[in-house]
Amino acid sequence: MQILMSGLIFGCIYGLTALGLVLIYKTTDIVNFAQGEMAMVTTFVSFVFLSNFGFGYIPSLLLALIFAAIFGIAIHQIVMKRVQSAPPLNQIVVTLGLFMILNGMAGLIWGHKPTSYPQAVKGDSIKLGSVFITPNELFILCITFFLMLIFFLLFRFTRVGLAMRASAQDIKASQLMGIKVTSVFTATWAVGAILGGVAGIMTAPITFLDTQMMFEVLIMAFAAAVIGGFVSLPGAVIGGLFIGVFENLIAFYISPEMKLVYTFLLIILVLYIRPQGIFGGKQTLKKV
Amino acid sequence: MILMLKQLGNKRIALGILIVCMLFYPFSVGYSSYFLTLFVITCIYVITSLSLNLLVGYGGQISVGQAGFLSVGSYSVAILSTKLGLPFLVVLPLAGIITALIGLLIGLPAVRLKGHFLAVATLGFGLSVPQIALKWDKLTGGFSGLSVTPSSLFASETQLFYFFVFLTVLIIWLINNIVKSSIGRAFIAIRDSEVAAQAIGINLSFYKTTMFVISSFFTGIAGGIYGYWVGFVSPNDFVITNSFLILAMIVVGGLASIPGSIIGALLFSIIPHFTDSYVGITNIVIGVAVVLIILFKPKGMVSMFNFKRNKSEKTKKNELLLKEEGNRGVNI
Amino acid sequence: MLTFNDVTVQFGGLTAVDNLSFEVPEGSIYSIIGPNGAGKTTVFNCISRFYTPAKGSIKFCGDEITKYKPHQIINIGIARSFQNVELFSKMTVLENLLTGLHPKLRKNIFAISLNLPTVKRSEEDSRKKAFEVMELLKITHLADEQVSNLSFGFQKMVDIGRAIMADPKLILLDEPVAGMNPIETEKISQLILNLKNEMNYTVLLIEHDMSLVMKVSDAVTVMNFGKKISEGTPKDIQNDPVVIEAYLGEVNLHAEVK
Ligand SMILES: Nc1ncnc2c1ncn2[C@@H]1O[C@H](COP(=O)(O)OP(=O)(O)OP(=O)(O)O)[C@@H](O)[C@H]1O
Ligand SMILES: [Mg+2]
């Protein structure tokens, strides 16, 4: 039970990161390999607010998320907008380039030494039935579900959400309907960056704050997204939770170092059986 | 025709100059071990980026984990030479073959995947290899790595250097032959239209797997060269950023282009030499180069060079001609 | 030579081909016509094995072909061209044609990577063959042109040329003259007749250009909404009221849309 619980905690983080990935992919058709590094930068920024300016946790969090939104917008406007219609390989490579730039810059500015990052809520673990849970973990669970709720409401019931869904369906048609696709994409990148940022800020207290903190999270988020079929938003979250639990089970019963390898085998297996992922729709035949 | 001959001549001359330069390289750097190593590392990346270009540029299959194959190659050399005591001339080809088998294992499921799914799967592979090397310490020496027993065939470092340079040139030639052949055309066909490729009798899964096998074979040899040259392998030699780097090489140099892969490999092997004082800077420089090239020269650096430009001018002229012809046709 | 027997193809709820039966005799030019969306290309895609019929059998020279994979179809002697040309866009015309020889070329990786004389020789032979085909299509001057630079008409020719390269017994042509001017159309109609008379191919043709169909066909099947609505010689078809109605219906439809 305890293993399942801590798996779910990690799962939330993976789910949030995967949600950002899938949102960006679904709407703009770009797989963002820099998602983790963007989250890492946001986390560092929040740390600057926390420790250098001495703000409280919540103000720092909010300021950092505002930064994340601006950051996402900037990345889309400066770089990604220009490769919107490029071949997928070019898009992937650009995001890898961003990955390297962000990683290098963060190293330059903040150094490579891991720092500890304060937890959102301090306190001793609470006993819930047969499992122990720290208030911080509880906080992660709550904020994840809270965010997802907001996010789905946003996506379902607001105009921006509607525009995003429309653009995801058919760019040309949306343009004809008067949707400003570019602005929608910019908004998508902002939301994606925020989701990533939250995931990063949740990750930092558990691991440490350093430039590599999001590597593994990104991989696991990819695994989650793949399991979710890369186009399903609930699929991403469920995939994240699943990967979190799976990984913890592997770490416990086999070996912590091998969790990456087994997760990789799991994705390969899933994709071999269902090349479009579990929640991906039916594969369509190309018309000739 | 004359133009073609001239180009061919130019190419021959360029090749000649290049080979002479390579022969004199050790003299010109005063047999400095550092510069010899820099050159051999460049050779390794030339081979690897060519192999990756075969897969990505020609075959259209994205791979974000090529460094995993380098690791497999270098570990194969270490294990075979040190643990089994096999001789150099057996070990090096065997490293290629072992890596090719791993490539086959990866290729089999990968042929069913497209685009980003393939990217994620290969990424997972690239990440897993160092982890496995760490964990499987009985075989790989785990964290502390494994040394490679040097070959007794070569009396000096310079001899080994020349052998590896020769091997690199040989592999460039082999890969060039492959991409120009019916097999190479089948790869390009799959990249450009899977439907038409099947209609002309190309078995998609067979050829996609073949791409992975050929690509990993040569990359395994490159990994082997690394093992023998450095004399020591560890899990941190080829990590996922190396995979990104190799991918960046072919995109920046030029996809589906042999000179492109070589230019990219040269560039990105030499950049760290100048920015070595700080790892972060290397990443930034490479990242910026990648982004700029994709934004402004999406066909890669090779498209900036003269012989390609001539050709594209020619095509433009023809295009005009064709349009004229088309117009006339309609008028009649 | 090619026999369709009660073939039905469905996409979700849509029945694209409905209980279709017909037979293409060896050595003939057989045409399939019908309004847009009638299911003609779908028939080709079944023969190419891109689609699998929900029901029915397709026999080629007595051999059930639904058991084959798409890439094996060329080996039993069926080649095709595509409605919206599926060329290898970054290759030159010559290279595109060379790919058509794929099943015939030896593919020994060791010989190829060492560029042995046998490989060079077979490459030389294939180029010769490619130039013959280009001559036939009168596109020799475009040999080294990248196909994406060509007009649609020339691209169609290359597409057809690639199918001819494999020396098939049956060749499927999907709207070969779409996008061509009258001169090119005339050239292609000569070529189709040539394929039958001199090269002994059987031709299965989809075409909207009625004058071409009437001129070259030995027999015609008319499809509408996936069903065969008429069959016979070009003359019979021209006078069949059902066919006229199907096409008129389409005209009316267009008129309404406008
Ligand atoms: N892969 C597919 N998925 C879903 N529907 C398809 C697919 N391929 C064809 N269809 C549908 O089947 C029907 C028949 O299409 P088909 O392409 O065979 O028509 P056609 O007779 O070739 O028309 P045209 O003259 O316009 O080429 C159409 O309604 C088409 O939308
Ligand atoms: Mg059609």
Side-chain angles (χ1 to χ4, degrees):
Chain A
M1 266 319 270
Q2 190 65 46
I3 304 168
L4 285 186
M5 195 63 222
S6 47
L8 283 182
I9 306 289
F10 275 99
C12 287
I13 292 171
Y14 301 152
L16 280 175
T17 316
L19 201 57
L21 279 175
V22 170
L23 177 72
I24 290 177
Y25 176 71
K26 196 176 155 82
T27 317
T28 70
D29 248 342
I30 290 176
V31 178
N32 181 19
F33 278 82
Q35 180 78 1
E37 299 314 280
M38 288 167 65
M40 179 267 294
V41 170
T42 305
T43 313
F44 267 106
V45 168
S46 76
F47 191 68
V48 168
F49 287 126
L50 265 174
S51 63
N52 295 21
F53 295 120
F55 292 161
Y57 188 90
I58 298 294
S60 303
L61 177 77
L62 292 178
L63 284 172
L65 294 186
I66 292 171
F67 166 82
I70 298 169
F71 189 40
I73 290 171
I75 289 213
H76 179 251
Q77 286 292 330
I78 297 170
V79 183
M80 298 319 293
K81 199 168 80 176
R82 295 165 214 271
V83 290
Q84 192 55 57
S85 47
L89 180 67
N90 290 22
Q91 297 172 337
I92 288 182
V93 172
V94 162
T95 62
L96 288 177
L98 285 175
F99 179 110
M100 298 186 87
I101 296 174
L102 295 179
N103 191 270
M105 298 260 246
L108 270 188
I109 301 173
W110 292 297
H112 289 276
K113 235 194 260 136
T115 342
S116 67
Y117 190 97
Q119 301 192 332
V121 208
K122 297 191 184 64
D124 292 330
S125 2
I126 321 160
K127 195 167 181 217
L128 278 180
S130 63
V131 290
F132 288 93
I133 186 166
T134 65
N136 188 56
E137 289 172 337
L138 208 57
F139 177 72
I140 293 181
L141 277 179
C142 292
I143 202 155
T144 306
F145 284 107
F146 175 67
L147 267 177
M148 281 169 194
L149 193 69
I150 291 200
F151 185 69
F152 286 126
L153 291 179
L154 206 90
F155 211 59
R156 280 266 164 256
F157 298 112
T158 65
R159 290 183 49 138
V160 183
L162 183 70
M164 279 183 189
R165 276 185 291 152
S167 311
Q169 290 282 325
D170 188 338
I171 295 179
K172 280 219 184 76
S174 319
Q175 262 164 346
L176 288 176
M177 300 298 287
I179 295 173
K180 290 203 186 69
V181 172
T182 313
S183 328
V184 173
F185 285 1
T186 309
T188 308
W189 276 85
V191 177
I194 292 177
L195 286 169
V198 176
I201 294 169
M202 301 291 115
T203 312
I206 303 178
T207 59
F208 269 110
L209 179 63
D210 77 348
T211 51
Q212 312 217 343
M213 61 180 249
M214 292 305 278
F215 279 18
E216 203 174 308
V217 175
L218 180 70
I219 306 311
M220 295 303 176
F222 267 127
V226 163
I227 287 190
F230 239 111
V231 287
S232 154
L233 296 170
V237 178
I238 297 169
L241 294 176
F242 178 75
I243 291 285
V245 172
F246 176 80
E247 168 208 78
N248 254 33
L249 288 174
I250 293 292
F252 186 78
Y253 287 107
I254 298 177
S255 127
E257 293 97 47
M258 293 306 272
K259 59 188 185 189
L260 205 68
V261 179
Y262 278 89
T263 309
F264 164 61
L265 288 178
L266 178 76
I267 335 185
I268 291 279
L269 193 72
V270 167
L271 289 179
Y272 194 68
I273 297 163
R274 257 182 90 85
Q276 70 276 36
I278 289 175
F279 292 87
K282 250 192 98 180
Q283 268 188 324
T284 45
L285 290 161
K286 185 180 171 241
K287 277 197 215 175
V288 281
Chain B
M1 197 60 211
I2 292 168
L3 207 96
M4 243 172 74
L5 274 180
K6 220 162 130 194
Q7 265 176 27
L8 211 76
N10 279 345
K11 248 192 203 162
R12 285 259 161 83
I13 292 167
L15 210 72
I17 294 173
L18 209 70
I19 289 177
V20 171
C21 283
M22 287 200 280
L23 289 180
F24 281 100
Y25 182 81
F27 299 107
S28 62
V29 297
Y31 297 99
S32 138
S33 178
Y34 172 79
F35 280 102
L36 289 188
T37 300
L38 185 65
F39 199 98
V40 173
I41 296 289
T42 308
C43 285
I44 290 165
Y45 278 124
V46 165
I47 299 174
T48 312
S49 67
L50 277 170
S51 328
L52 184 65
N53 218 337
L54 184 99
L55 192 63
V56 179
Y58 290 94
Q61 310 301 304
I62 295 176
S63 163
V64 201
Q66 199 71 5
F69 294 122
L70 275 174
S71 286
V72 174
S74 63
Y75 268 101
S76 304
V77 160
I79 292 164
L80 293 173
S81 74
T82 305
K83 300 228 155 169
L84 301 181
L86 294 176
F88 179 84
L89 286 179
V90 177
V91 171
L92 203 56
L94 217 51
I97 291 169
I98 292 172
T99 316
L101 286 177
I102 303 286
L104 179 69
L105 281 182
I106 299 298
L108 282 178
V111 296
R112 286 168 53 110
L113 308 180
K114 290 225 170 72
H116 49 280
F117 284 121
L118 186 58
V120 173
T122 50
L123 177 77
F125 168 73
L127 283 161
S128 299
V129 173
Q131 300 285 334
I132 295 173
L134 260 180
K135 182 69 192 152
W136 201 352
D137 47 10
K138 278 211 194 74
L139 191 68
T140 63
F143 186 70
S144 43
L146 209 59
S147 65
V148 180
T149 311
S151 161
S152 52
L153 276 181
F154 304 97
S156 67
E157 209 181 28
T158 323
Q159 277 186 16
L160 190 63
F161 173 84
Y162 279 129
F163 178 75
F164 284 157
V165 171
F166 163 76
L167 195 59
T168 308
V169 175
L170 177 72
I171 289 178
I172 296 176
W173 182 69
L174 295 177
I175 292 184
N176 183 54
N177 288 339
I178 292 174
V179 298
K180 298 266 147 65
S181 72
S182 58
I183 293 184
R185 283 194 297 267
F187 293 165
I188 302 174
I190 291 174
R191 177 195 72 194
D192 285 352
S193 166
E194 291 199 350
V195 173
Q198 283 177 298
I200 58 170
I202 293 170
N203 180 343
L204 293 187
S205 26
F206 177 78
Y207 277 92
K208 284 185 183 175
T209 319
T210 307
M211 279 179 222
F212 271 94
V213 169
I214 297 177
S215 173
S216 51
F217 174 79
F218 288 121
T219 308
I221 300 269
I225 294 178
Y226 176 88
Y228 270 114
W229 185 261
V230 175
F232 183 78
V233 297
S234 78
N236 289 326
D237 292 342
F238 299 110
V239 292
I240 198 67
T241 36
N242 295 81
S243 296
F244 296 174
L245 189 67
I246 302 160
L247 196 58
M249 285 174 187
I250 61 169
V251 172
V252 169
L255 285 172
S257 157
I258 291 198
S261 325
I262 299 175
I263 292 169
L266 276 175
L267 192 69
F268 285 156
S269 310
I270 294 170
I271 287 179
H273 164 67
F274 292 106
T275 55
D276 210 21
S277 48
Y278 205 86
V279 188
I281 306 231
T282 312
N283 280 354
I284 296 176
V285 171
I286 290 173
V288 169
V290 168
V291 172
L292 288 182
I293 287 276
I294 299 244
L295 291 188
F296 300 108
K297 277 262 171 271
K299 288 202 177 131
M301 290 187 48
V302 75
S303 66
M304 292 192 255
F305 287 88
N306 228 347
F307 61 99
K308 281 277 171 177
R309 201 181 299 154
N310 275 344
K311 204 173 161 193
S312 70
E313 257 167 30
K314 211 180 82 192
T315 40
K316 255 186 226 139
K317 232 185 263 159
N318 273 335
E319 212 175 341
L320 286 178
L321 235 121
L322 293 181
K323 277 210 187 105
E324 260 171 35
E325 220 172 71
N327 289 342
R328 246 186 301 125
V330 172
N331 285 343
I332 292 166
Chain C
M1 182 179 218
L2 179 79
T3 319
F4 265 58
N5 220 329
D6 283 337
V7 172
T8 299
V9 183
Q10 284 170 327
F11 298 110
L14 179 100
T15 306
V17 172
D18 197 352
N19 263 317
L20 183 72
S21 306
F22 65 88
E23 167 148 22
V24 182
E26 184 159 2
S28 66
I29 297 177
Y30 193 100
S31 295
I32 301 178
I33 62 171
N36 290 107
K40 306 179 295 293
T41 302
T42 308
V43 168
F44 274 22
N45 284 339
C46 288
I47 304 172
S48 300
R49 298 293 300 107
F50 293 133
Y51 300 158
T52 299
K55 173 173 144 316
S57 86
I58 307 172
K59 288 212 165 86
F60 179 68
C61 299
D63 192 10
E64 178 65 44
I65 64 171
T66 42
K67 67 173 186 242
Y68 291 115
K69 299 229 169 68
H71 65 88
Q72 294 169 323
I73 291 301
I74 190 85
N75 294 326
I76 59 173
I78 306 177
R80 77 174 282 184
S81 77
F82 293 87
Q83 181 170 0
N84 297 310
V85 295
E86 286 282 334
L87 289 173
F88 309 123
S89 58
K90 297 273 172 55
M91 289 187 189
T92 65
V93 170
L94 175 63
E95 287 165 337
N96 263 286
L97 292 184
L98 288 177
T99 58
L101 273 183
H102 182 85
K104 302 234 163 103
L105 288 181
R106 300 204 299 138
K107 288 166 288 269
N108 179 334
I109 181 74
F110 298 105
I112 280 174
S113 49
L114 295 171
N115 203 10
L116 294 182
T118 50
V119 175
K120 281 190 188 149
R121 217 174 308 125
S122 86
E123 195 73 357
E124 207 40 54
D125 293 344
S126 1
R127 292 166 73 90
K128 232 179 253 156
K129 167 99 197 179
F131 272 98
E132 277 169 29
V133 171
M134 279 191 270
E135 213 112 287
L136 197 70
L137 294 161
K138 306 204 174 53
I139 52 171
T140 317
H141 61 294
L142 297 173
D144 291 319
E145 198 61 51
Q146 190 175 317
V147 290
S148 55
N149 292 337
L150 301 181
S151 66
F152 191 68
F154 278 123
Q155 291 192 2
K156 291 233 80 146
M157 287 189 208
V158 180
D159 202 12
I160 298 168
R162 188 178 58 192
I164 297 175
M165 283 296 284
D167 255 332
K169 287 183 235 156
L170 171 69
I171 187 165
L172 315 177
L173 302 175
D174 197 344
E175 304 194 14
V177 303
M180 287 192 185
N181 63 41
I183 301 172
E184 291 168 328
T185 305
E186 177 55 31
K187 227 162 80 178
I188 294 295
S189 67
Q190 283 311 320
L191 175 76
I192 294 174
L193 288 170
N194 251 348
L195 289 180
K196 174 178 113 171
N197 298 331
E198 276 155 44
M199 299 163 82
N200 295 323
Y201 290 176
T202 307
V203 181
L204 182 56
L205 174 72
I206 293 178
E207 188 47 69
H208 283 295
D209 183 328
M210 284 311 142
S211 58
L212 173 71
V213 172
M214 296 308 154
K215 183 167 149 200
V216 303
S217 310
D218 297 312
V220 181
T221 274
V222 188
M223 287 178 74
N224 198 12
F225 297 115
K227 287 199 181 70
K228 178 162 86 179
I229 56 171
S230 178
E231 183 179 25
T233 63
K235 263 242 161 57
D236 300 340
I237 296 298
Q238 259 169 325
N239 301 324
D240 187 339
V242 185
V243 176
I244 295 165
E245 195 183 320
Y247 274 90
L248 278 181
E250 196 194 23
V251 171
N252 280 341
L253 212 73
H254 279 291
E256 273 165 35
V257 169
K258 274 170 198 161

